[in-house]
């Protein structure tokens, strides 16, 4: 179980996270929803040590991992699929996947490549294609597959549906569900609040750096305040 306690992040004079508390149970899908600028990406970046928290604690299975750097966090089992995919445009699908395994020293990397190819047959067909020439949906699949190559215990995803056509979004959410069904703990942030709440076991709502509401995905889907603020026609 992952526990975030009183997480604070400052960007210079901007107090972007103001005491975020979250609990993520092993094997669950947890989503963090909120408007633009609420601090969703900052929360994930804080957990991954990509931003240094100004206060707070991160506990993983009881151990305090707050002071670990990003590489140590990857070794502890955390991975982040960043917003905008950030795949290596000039490297092939295969090379991108191998880079996902850069912290590993075991002998099962090839086996895991075959496993992600089963999950994403489209990537197998395009193993030698340059990442930058793939479609947006394919690049998102590659970003997820690359993250899986680190053999994470907790997978964090920043806006996986951003900029994708509805039919591809459906595929991506199905894949998230499938990865979770194999036991992966997932923390998902999304502007597509409806889709995220539909698959989430538990959800948090972030407003200007603070958690203002939490509950099961189903409860929040039916909550009038959430409906008005995040599930309107525009979302
Ligand atoms: P979005 O959905 O638009 O990505 P978000 O909820 O992920 O929004 P964050 O990107 O975490 O929000 O940003 C939270 C706040 O911190 C915003 O006010 C943003 O302008 C600010 N912020 C984010 N990154 C930086 C940075 N590198 N330097 C200064 N301010 C930043």
């Amino acid at each position: 179980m992952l526990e975030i306690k009183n997480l604070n992040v400052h960007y210079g004079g901007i107090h972007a996270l103001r005491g975020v508390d979250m609990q993520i149970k092993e094997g669950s899908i947890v989503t963090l929803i909120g408007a633009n600028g609420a601090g969703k990406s900052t929360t994930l970046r804080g957990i991954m040590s990509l931003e240094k928290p100004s206060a707070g604690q991160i506990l993983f299975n009881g151990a305090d991992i707050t002071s670990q750097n990003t590489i140590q966090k990857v070794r502890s089992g955390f991975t982040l699929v960043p917003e905008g995919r950030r795949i290596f445009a000039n490297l092939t699908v295969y090379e991108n996947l191998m880079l996902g395994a850069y912290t590993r020293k075991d002998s099962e990397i090839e086996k895991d490549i075959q496993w992600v190819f089963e999950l994403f047959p489209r990537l197998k067909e395009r193993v030698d294609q340059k990442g930058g020439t793939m479609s947006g949906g394919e690049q998102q699949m590659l970003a997820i597959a690359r993250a899986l190559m680190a053999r994470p215990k907790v997978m964090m995803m920043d806006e996986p549906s951003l900029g994708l056509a509805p039919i591809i979004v459906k595929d991506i959410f199905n894949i998230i569900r499938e990865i979770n069904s194999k036991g992966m703990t997932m923390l998902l942030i999304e502007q597509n609040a409806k889709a995220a709440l539909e698959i989430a076991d538990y959800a948090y709502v972030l407003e200007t750096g603070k958690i203002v509401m939490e509950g099961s995905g189903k409860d929040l889907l039916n909550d009038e305040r959430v409906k008005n603020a995040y599930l309107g026609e525009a979302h």
Side-chain angles (χ1 to χ4, degrees), residues 118-149:
E118 274 170 39
L119 209 52
F120 301 99
R122 182 81 66 94
L123 296 183
K124 187 175 183 181
E125 287 165 18
R126 286 153 193 267
V127 57
D128 294 322
Q129 189 171 328
K130 290 258 162 66
T133 64
M134 313 261 284
S135 73
E138 289 163 355
Q139 290 191 16
Q140 185 62 59
M141 289 175 196
L142 180 55
I144 296 171
R146 186 181 59 185
L148 287 173
M149 288 301 298

PDB file of all heavy atoms in Angstrom, residues 118-149:
ATOM      1  N   GLU A 118       2.240  -9.325 -26.451  1.00  0.00           N
ATOM      2  CA  GLU A 118       0.924  -9.996 -26.365  1.00  0.00           C
ATOM      3  C   GLU A 118      -0.161  -9.001 -25.978  1.00  0.00           C
ATOM      4  O   GLU A 118      -1.282  -9.042 -26.473  1.00  0.00           O
ATOM      5  CB  GLU A 118       0.965 -11.089 -25.286  1.00  0.00           C
ATOM      6  CG  GLU A 118       1.464 -12.409 -25.785  1.00  0.00           C
ATOM      7  CD  GLU A 118       1.714 -13.356 -24.635  1.00  0.00           C
ATOM      8  OE1 GLU A 118       0.923 -13.368 -23.669  1.00  0.00           O
ATOM      9  OE2 GLU A 118       2.736 -14.072 -24.705  1.00  0.00           O
ATOM     10  N   LEU A 119       0.226  -8.085 -25.084  1.00  0.00           N
ATOM     11  CA  LEU A 119      -0.715  -7.074 -24.617  1.00  0.00           C
ATOM     12  C   LEU A 119      -1.006  -6.049 -25.724  1.00  0.00           C
ATOM     13  O   LEU A 119      -2.113  -5.540 -25.852  1.00  0.00           O
ATOM     14  CB  LEU A 119      -0.073  -6.385 -23.408  1.00  0.00           C
ATOM     15  CG  LEU A 119      -0.902  -5.795 -22.311  1.00  0.00           C
ATOM     16  CD1 LEU A 119      -1.916  -6.787 -21.767  1.00  0.00           C
ATOM     17  CD2 LEU A 119       0.032  -5.349 -21.181  1.00  0.00           C
ATOM     18  N   PHE A 120       0.010  -5.751 -26.507  1.00  0.00           N
ATOM     19  CA  PHE A 120      -0.112  -4.743 -27.571  1.00  0.00           C
ATOM     20  C   PHE A 120       0.362  -5.328 -28.900  1.00  0.00           C
ATOM     21  O   PHE A 120       1.484  -5.044 -29.346  1.00  0.00           O
ATOM     22  CB  PHE A 120       0.760  -3.512 -27.261  1.00  0.00           C
ATOM     23  CG  PHE A 120       0.438  -2.818 -25.984  1.00  0.00           C
ATOM     24  CD1 PHE A 120       1.190  -3.051 -24.850  1.00  0.00           C
ATOM     25  CD2 PHE A 120      -0.593  -1.894 -25.921  1.00  0.00           C
ATOM     26  CE1 PHE A 120       0.913  -2.388 -23.665  1.00  0.00           C
ATOM     27  CE2 PHE A 120      -0.877  -1.225 -24.741  1.00  0.00           C
ATOM     28  CZ  PHE A 120      -0.121  -1.476 -23.619  1.00  0.00           C
ATOM     29  N   PRO A 121      -0.475  -6.148 -29.553  1.00  0.00           N
ATOM     30  CA  PRO A 121      -0.036  -6.770 -30.819  1.00  0.00           C
ATOM     31  C   PRO A 121       0.391  -5.719 -31.857  1.00  0.00           C
ATOM     32  O   PRO A 121       1.272  -5.977 -32.684  1.00  0.00           O
ATOM     33  CB  PRO A 121      -1.285  -7.522 -31.285  1.00  0.00           C
ATOM     34  CG  PRO A 121      -2.179  -7.633 -30.091  1.00  0.00           C
ATOM     35  CD  PRO A 121      -1.828  -6.525 -29.166  1.00  0.00           C
ATOM     36  N   ARG A 122      -0.218  -4.544 -31.793  1.00  0.00           N
ATOM     37  CA  ARG A 122       0.126  -3.479 -32.729  1.00  0.00           C
ATOM     38  C   ARG A 122       1.618  -3.107 -32.636  1.00  0.00           C
ATOM     39  O   ARG A 122       2.269  -2.795 -33.629  1.00  0.00           O
ATOM     40  CB  ARG A 122      -0.730  -2.245 -32.409  1.00  0.00           C
ATOM     41  CG  ARG A 122      -0.526  -1.074 -33.332  1.00  0.00           C
ATOM     42  CD  ARG A 122      -1.277  -1.206 -34.616  1.00  0.00           C
ATOM     43  NE  ARG A 122      -2.708  -1.182 -34.407  1.00  0.00           N
ATOM     44  CZ  ARG A 122      -3.457  -0.075 -34.496  1.00  0.00           C
ATOM     45  NH1 ARG A 122      -2.928   1.066 -34.823  1.00  0.00           N
ATOM     46  NH2 ARG A 122      -4.746  -0.137 -34.287  1.00  0.00           N
ATOM     47  N   LEU A 123       2.156  -3.162 -31.432  1.00  0.00           N
ATOM     48  CA  LEU A 123       3.574  -2.819 -31.257  1.00  0.00           C
ATOM     49  C   LEU A 123       4.465  -3.911 -31.848  1.00  0.00           C
ATOM     50  O   LEU A 123       5.537  -3.635 -32.371  1.00  0.00           O
ATOM     51  CB  LEU A 123       3.914  -2.614 -29.775  1.00  0.00           C
ATOM     52  CG  LEU A 123       3.214  -1.447 -29.079  1.00  0.00           C
ATOM     53  CD1 LEU A 123       3.696  -1.334 -27.638  1.00  0.00           C
ATOM     54  CD2 LEU A 123       3.441  -0.133 -29.814  1.00  0.00           C
ATOM     55  N   LYS A 124       3.990  -5.138 -31.754  1.00  0.00           N
ATOM     56  CA  LYS A 124       4.771  -6.255 -32.308  1.00  0.00           C
ATOM     57  C   LYS A 124       4.893  -6.098 -33.827  1.00  0.00           C
ATOM     58  O   LYS A 124       5.971  -6.271 -34.394  1.00  0.00           O
ATOM     59  CB  LYS A 124       4.106  -7.574 -31.951  1.00  0.00           C
ATOM     60  CG  LYS A 124       4.941  -8.764 -32.334  1.00  0.00           C
ATOM     61  CD  LYS A 124       4.326 -10.044 -31.864  1.00  0.00           C
ATOM     62  CE  LYS A 124       5.252 -11.195 -32.215  1.00  0.00           C
ATOM     63  NZ  LYS A 124       4.682 -12.473 -31.806  1.00  0.00           N
ATOM     64  N   GLU A 125       3.759  -5.718 -34.442  1.00  0.00           N
ATOM     65  CA  GLU A 125       3.774  -5.524 -35.899  1.00  0.00           C
ATOM     66  C   GLU A 125       4.754  -4.426 -36.300  1.00  0.00           C
ATOM     67  O   GLU A 125       5.236  -4.385 -37.413  1.00  0.00           O
ATOM     68  CB  GLU A 125       2.397  -5.041 -36.373  1.00  0.00           C
ATOM     69  CG  GLU A 125       1.314  -6.068 -36.370  1.00  0.00           C
ATOM     70  CD  GLU A 125      -0.063  -5.403 -36.494  1.00  0.00           C
ATOM     71  OE1 GLU A 125      -0.138  -4.222 -36.917  1.00  0.00           O
ATOM     72  OE2 GLU A 125      -1.060  -6.066 -36.147  1.00  0.00           O
ATOM     73  N   ARG A 126       4.986  -3.478 -35.370  1.00  0.00           N
ATOM     74  CA  ARG A 126       5.773  -2.298 -35.707  1.00  0.00           C
ATOM     75  C   ARG A 126       7.092  -2.226 -34.946  1.00  0.00           C
ATOM     76  O   ARG A 126       7.598  -1.144 -34.678  1.00  0.00           O
ATOM     77  CB  ARG A 126       4.931  -1.050 -35.392  1.00  0.00           C
ATOM     78  CG  ARG A 126       3.859  -0.896 -36.416  1.00  0.00           C
ATOM     79  CD  ARG A 126       2.645  -0.162 -35.921  1.00  0.00           C
ATOM     80  NE  ARG A 126       1.578  -0.348 -36.871  1.00  0.00           N
ATOM     81  CZ  ARG A 126       1.340   0.515 -37.853  1.00  0.00           C
ATOM     82  NH1 ARG A 126       2.050   1.600 -37.972  1.00  0.00           N
ATOM     83  NH2 ARG A 126       0.370   0.264 -38.705  1.00  0.00           N
ATOM     84  N   VAL A 127       7.626  -3.378 -34.640  1.00  0.00           N
ATOM     85  CA  VAL A 127       8.787  -3.448 -33.756  1.00  0.00           C
ATOM     86  C   VAL A 127       9.977  -2.602 -34.237  1.00  0.00           C
ATOM     87  O   VAL A 127      10.699  -2.027 -33.430  1.00  0.00           O
ATOM     88  CB  VAL A 127       9.168  -4.938 -33.506  1.00  0.00           C
ATOM     89  CG1 VAL A 127       9.449  -5.660 -34.796  1.00  0.00           C
ATOM     90  CG2 VAL A 127      10.299  -5.067 -32.530  1.00  0.00           C
ATOM     91  N   ASP A 128      10.141  -2.488 -35.569  1.00  0.00           N
ATOM     92  CA  ASP A 128      11.287  -1.741 -36.094  1.00  0.00           C
ATOM     93  C   ASP A 128      10.941  -0.328 -36.536  1.00  0.00           C
ATOM     94  O   ASP A 128      11.777   0.377 -37.093  1.00  0.00           O
ATOM     95  CB  ASP A 128      11.900  -2.504 -37.285  1.00  0.00           C
ATOM     96  CG  ASP A 128      12.499  -3.828 -36.821  1.00  0.00           C
ATOM     97  OD1 ASP A 128      13.087  -3.845 -35.716  1.00  0.00           O
ATOM     98  OD2 ASP A 128      12.346  -4.830 -37.548  1.00  0.00           O
ATOM     99  N   GLN A 129       9.675   0.067 -36.304  1.00  0.00           N
ATOM    100  CA  GLN A 129       9.275   1.415 -36.732  1.00  0.00           C
ATOM    101  C   GLN A 129       9.792   2.451 -35.733  1.00  0.00           C
ATOM    102  O   GLN A 129       9.823   2.216 -34.527  1.00  0.00           O
ATOM    103  CB  GLN A 129       7.744   1.481 -36.806  1.00  0.00           C
ATOM    104  CG  GLN A 129       7.235   2.765 -37.439  1.00  0.00           C
ATOM    105  CD  GLN A 129       5.724   2.702 -37.706  1.00  0.00           C
ATOM    106  OE1 GLN A 129       5.187   1.613 -37.985  1.00  0.00           O
ATOM    107  NE2 GLN A 129       5.068   3.840 -37.622  1.00  0.00           N
ATOM    108  N   LYS A 130      10.176   3.614 -36.245  1.00  0.00           N
ATOM    109  CA  LYS A 130      10.645   4.698 -35.369  1.00  0.00           C
ATOM    110  C   LYS A 130       9.468   5.232 -34.559  1.00  0.00           C
ATOM    111  O   LYS A 130       8.379   5.483 -35.113  1.00  0.00           O
ATOM    112  CB  LYS A 130      11.235   5.837 -36.201  1.00  0.00           C
ATOM    113  CG  LYS A 130      12.550   5.478 -36.869  1.00  0.00           C
ATOM    114  CD  LYS A 130      13.721   6.075 -36.095  1.00  0.00           C
ATOM    115  CE  LYS A 130      15.055   5.441 -36.415  1.00  0.00           C
ATOM    116  NZ  LYS A 130      15.525   5.647 -37.759  1.00  0.00           N
ATOM    117  N   GLY A 131       9.691   5.425 -33.266  1.00  0.00           N
ATOM    118  CA  GLY A 131       8.629   5.885 -32.369  1.00  0.00           C
ATOM    119  C   GLY A 131       7.921   7.130 -32.863  1.00  0.00           C
ATOM    120  O   GLY A 131       6.690   7.237 -32.787  1.00  0.00           O
ATOM    121  N   GLY A 132       8.693   8.069 -33.396  1.00  0.00           N
ATOM    122  CA  GLY A 132       8.126   9.359 -33.818  1.00  0.00           C
ATOM    123  C   GLY A 132       7.174   9.260 -34.989  1.00  0.00           C
ATOM    124  O   GLY A 132       6.416  10.197 -35.257  1.00  0.00           O
ATOM    125  N   THR A 133       7.203   8.139 -35.719  1.00  0.00           N
ATOM    126  CA  THR A 133       6.321   8.009 -36.883  1.00  0.00           C
ATOM    127  C   THR A 133       5.032   7.254 -36.527  1.00  0.00           C
ATOM    128  O   THR A 133       4.184   7.041 -37.386  1.00  0.00           O
ATOM    129  CB  THR A 133       7.025   7.256 -38.040  1.00  0.00           C
ATOM    130  OG1 THR A 133       7.305   5.930 -37.596  1.00  0.00           O
ATOM    131  CG2 THR A 133       8.303   7.943 -38.464  1.00  0.00           C
ATOM    132  N   MET A 134       4.877   6.884 -35.277  1.00  0.00           N
ATOM    133  CA  MET A 134       3.658   6.175 -34.863  1.00  0.00           C
ATOM    134  C   MET A 134       2.529   7.183 -34.626  1.00  0.00           C
ATOM    135  O   MET A 134       2.772   8.348 -34.322  1.00  0.00           O
ATOM    136  CB  MET A 134       3.906   5.423 -33.549  1.00  0.00           C
ATOM    137  CG  MET A 134       5.173   4.614 -33.521  1.00  0.00           C
ATOM    138  SD  MET A 134       4.872   2.896 -33.853  1.00  0.00           S
ATOM    139  CE  MET A 134       4.197   2.405 -32.296  1.00  0.00           C
ATOM    140  N   SER A 135       1.292   6.699 -34.693  1.00  0.00           N
ATOM    141  CA  SER A 135       0.139   7.567 -34.415  1.00  0.00           C
ATOM    142  C   SER A 135       0.089   7.870 -32.914  1.00  0.00           C
ATOM    143  O   SER A 135       0.781   7.221 -32.114  1.00  0.00           O
ATOM    144  CB  SER A 135      -1.155   6.857 -34.816  1.00  0.00           C
ATOM    145  OG  SER A 135      -1.438   5.826 -33.892  1.00  0.00           O
ATOM    146  N   GLY A 136      -0.735   8.849 -32.551  1.00  0.00           N
ATOM    147  CA  GLY A 136      -0.848   9.238 -31.138  1.00  0.00           C
ATOM    148  C   GLY A 136      -1.231   8.067 -30.249  1.00  0.00           C
ATOM    149  O   GLY A 136      -0.644   7.859 -29.184  1.00  0.00           O
ATOM    150  N   GLY A 137      -2.215   7.282 -30.709  1.00  0.00           N
ATOM    151  CA  GLY A 137      -2.669   6.136 -29.917  1.00  0.00           C
ATOM    152  C   GLY A 137      -1.575   5.083 -29.781  1.00  0.00           C
ATOM    153  O   GLY A 137      -1.375   4.508 -28.712  1.00  0.00           O
ATOM    154  N   GLU A 138      -0.849   4.860 -30.887  1.00  0.00           N
ATOM    155  CA  GLU A 138       0.246   3.878 -30.846  1.00  0.00           C
ATOM    156  C   GLU A 138       1.365   4.356 -29.919  1.00  0.00           C
ATOM    157  O   GLU A 138       1.966   3.571 -29.193  1.00  0.00           O
ATOM    158  CB  GLU A 138       0.792   3.650 -32.254  1.00  0.00           C
ATOM    159  CG  GLU A 138      -0.164   2.877 -33.140  1.00  0.00           C
ATOM    160  CD  GLU A 138       0.160   3.000 -34.630  1.00  0.00           C
ATOM    161  OE1 GLU A 138       1.079   3.773 -35.009  1.00  0.00           O
ATOM    162  OE2 GLU A 138      -0.519   2.326 -35.423  1.00  0.00           O
ATOM    163  N   GLN A 139       1.609   5.664 -29.953  1.00  0.00           N
ATOM    164  CA  GLN A 139       2.655   6.210 -29.070  1.00  0.00           C
ATOM    165  C   GLN A 139       2.250   6.059 -27.606  1.00  0.00           C
ATOM    166  O   GLN A 139       3.081   5.785 -26.742  1.00  0.00           O
ATOM    167  CB  GLN A 139       2.914   7.683 -29.382  1.00  0.00           C
ATOM    168  CG  GLN A 139       3.601   7.864 -30.725  1.00  0.00           C
ATOM    169  CD  GLN A 139       4.113   9.286 -30.956  1.00  0.00           C
ATOM    170  OE1 GLN A 139       4.227  10.083 -30.043  1.00  0.00           O
ATOM    171  NE2 GLN A 139       4.411   9.593 -32.198  1.00  0.00           N
ATOM    172  N   GLN A 140       0.944   6.227 -27.332  1.00  0.00           N
ATOM    173  CA  GLN A 140       0.489   6.034 -25.946  1.00  0.00           C
ATOM    174  C   GLN A 140       0.662   4.575 -25.528  1.00  0.00           C
ATOM    175  O   GLN A 140       1.084   4.287 -24.416  1.00  0.00           O
ATOM    176  CB  GLN A 140      -0.973   6.468 -25.796  1.00  0.00           C
ATOM    177  CG  GLN A 140      -1.485   6.423 -24.368  1.00  0.00           C
ATOM    178  CD  GLN A 140      -0.740   7.369 -23.432  1.00  0.00           C
ATOM    179  OE1 GLN A 140      -0.714   8.576 -23.639  1.00  0.00           O
ATOM    180  NE2 GLN A 140      -0.099   6.826 -22.426  1.00  0.00           N
ATOM    181  N   MET A 141       0.337   3.659 -26.457  1.00  0.00           N
ATOM    182  CA  MET A 141       0.533   2.237 -26.149  1.00  0.00           C
ATOM    183  C   MET A 141       2.009   1.961 -25.880  1.00  0.00           C
ATOM    184  O   MET A 141       2.350   1.227 -24.952  1.00  0.00           O
ATOM    185  CB  MET A 141       0.057   1.368 -27.316  1.00  0.00           C
ATOM    186  CG  MET A 141      -1.452   1.373 -27.459  1.00  0.00           C
ATOM    187  SD  MET A 141      -1.947   0.454 -28.925  1.00  0.00           S
ATOM    188  CE  MET A 141      -3.630   1.042 -29.094  1.00  0.00           C
ATOM    189  N   LEU A 142       2.874   2.563 -26.698  1.00  0.00           N
ATOM    190  CA  LEU A 142       4.314   2.352 -26.516  1.00  0.00           C
ATOM    191  C   LEU A 142       4.765   2.912 -25.164  1.00  0.00           C
ATOM    192  O   LEU A 142       5.568   2.288 -24.459  1.00  0.00           O
ATOM    193  CB  LEU A 142       5.084   3.002 -27.681  1.00  0.00           C
ATOM    194  CG  LEU A 142       6.612   2.881 -27.641  1.00  0.00           C
ATOM    195  CD1 LEU A 142       7.062   1.431 -27.519  1.00  0.00           C
ATOM    196  CD2 LEU A 142       7.235   3.529 -28.890  1.00  0.00           C
ATOM    197  N   ALA A 143       4.220   4.078 -24.789  1.00  0.00           N
ATOM    198  CA  ALA A 143       4.610   4.684 -23.498  1.00  0.00           C
ATOM    199  C   ALA A 143       4.194   3.772 -22.343  1.00  0.00           C
ATOM    200  O   ALA A 143       4.942   3.587 -21.381  1.00  0.00           O
ATOM    201  CB  ALA A 143       3.979   6.062 -23.361  1.00  0.00           C
ATOM    202  N   ILE A 144       3.009   3.174 -22.456  1.00  0.00           N
ATOM    203  CA  ILE A 144       2.536   2.265 -21.395  1.00  0.00           C
ATOM    204  C   ILE A 144       3.404   1.006 -21.382  1.00  0.00           C
ATOM    205  O   ILE A 144       3.857   0.552 -20.333  1.00  0.00           O
ATOM    206  CB  ILE A 144       1.041   1.909 -21.600  1.00  0.00           C
ATOM    207  CG1 ILE A 144       0.172   3.167 -21.460  1.00  0.00           C
ATOM    208  CG2 ILE A 144       0.597   0.825 -20.614  1.00  0.00           C
ATOM    209  CD1 ILE A 144      -1.290   2.965 -21.865  1.00  0.00           C
ATOM    210  N   ALA A 145       3.655   0.466 -22.584  1.00  0.00           N
ATOM    211  CA  ALA A 145       4.457  -0.763 -22.678  1.00  0.00           C
ATOM    212  C   ALA A 145       5.870  -0.516 -22.155  1.00  0.00           C
ATOM    213  O   ALA A 145       6.439  -1.351 -21.439  1.00  0.00           O
ATOM    214  CB  ALA A 145       4.509  -1.232 -24.133  1.00  0.00           C
ATOM    215  N   ARG A 146       6.426   0.638 -22.477  1.00  0.00           N
ATOM    216  CA  ARG A 146       7.787   0.963 -21.996  1.00  0.00           C
ATOM    217  C   ARG A 146       7.811   1.014 -20.466  1.00  0.00           C
ATOM    218  O   ARG A 146       8.729   0.528 -19.831  1.00  0.00           O
ATOM    219  CB  ARG A 146       8.231   2.302 -22.591  1.00  0.00           C
ATOM    220  CG  ARG A 146       9.674   2.643 -22.257  1.00  0.00           C
ATOM    221  CD  ARG A 146      10.082   3.976 -22.839  1.00  0.00           C
ATOM    222  NE  ARG A 146       9.239   5.049 -22.344  1.00  0.00           N
ATOM    223  CZ  ARG A 146       9.309   6.297 -22.768  1.00  0.00           C
ATOM    224  NH1 ARG A 146      10.156   6.636 -23.721  1.00  0.00           N
ATOM    225  NH2 ARG A 146       8.527   7.224 -22.271  1.00  0.00           N
ATOM    226  N   ALA A 147       6.744   1.622 -19.885  1.00  0.00           N
ATOM    227  CA  ALA A 147       6.675   1.690 -18.418  1.00  0.00           C
ATOM    228  C   ALA A 147       6.578   0.289 -17.816  1.00  0.00           C
ATOM    229  O   ALA A 147       7.186  -0.001 -16.785  1.00  0.00           O
ATOM    230  CB  ALA A 147       5.477   2.538 -17.992  1.00  0.00           C
ATOM    231  N   LEU A 148       5.842  -0.610 -18.479  1.00  0.00           N
ATOM    232  CA  LEU A 148       5.704  -1.978 -17.968  1.00  0.00           C
ATOM    233  C   LEU A 148       7.044  -2.714 -17.960  1.00  0.00           C
ATOM    234  O   LEU A 148       7.257  -3.613 -17.151  1.00  0.00           O
ATOM    235  CB  LEU A 148       4.699  -2.771 -18.815  1.00  0.00           C
ATOM    236  CG  LEU A 148       3.234  -2.405 -18.623  1.00  0.00           C
ATOM    237  CD1 LEU A 148       2.381  -3.150 -19.653  1.00  0.00           C
ATOM    238  CD2 LEU A 148       2.757  -2.731 -17.213  1.00  0.00           C
ATOM    239  N   MET A 149       7.925  -2.328 -18.886  1.00  0.00           N
ATOM    240  CA  MET A 149       9.218  -3.001 -18.985  1.00  0.00           C
ATOM    241  C   MET A 149      10.081  -2.781 -17.740  1.00  0.00           C
ATOM    242  O   MET A 149      11.053  -3.500 -17.531  1.00  0.00           O
ATOM    243  CB  MET A 149       9.977  -2.540 -20.242  1.00  0.00           C
ATOM    244  CG  MET A 149       9.420  -3.059 -21.545  1.00  0.00           C
ATOM    245  SD  MET A 149       9.379  -4.859 -21.639  1.00  0.00           S
ATOM    246  CE  MET A 149      11.133  -5.253 -21.501  1.00  0.00           C
TER     247      MET A 149
END
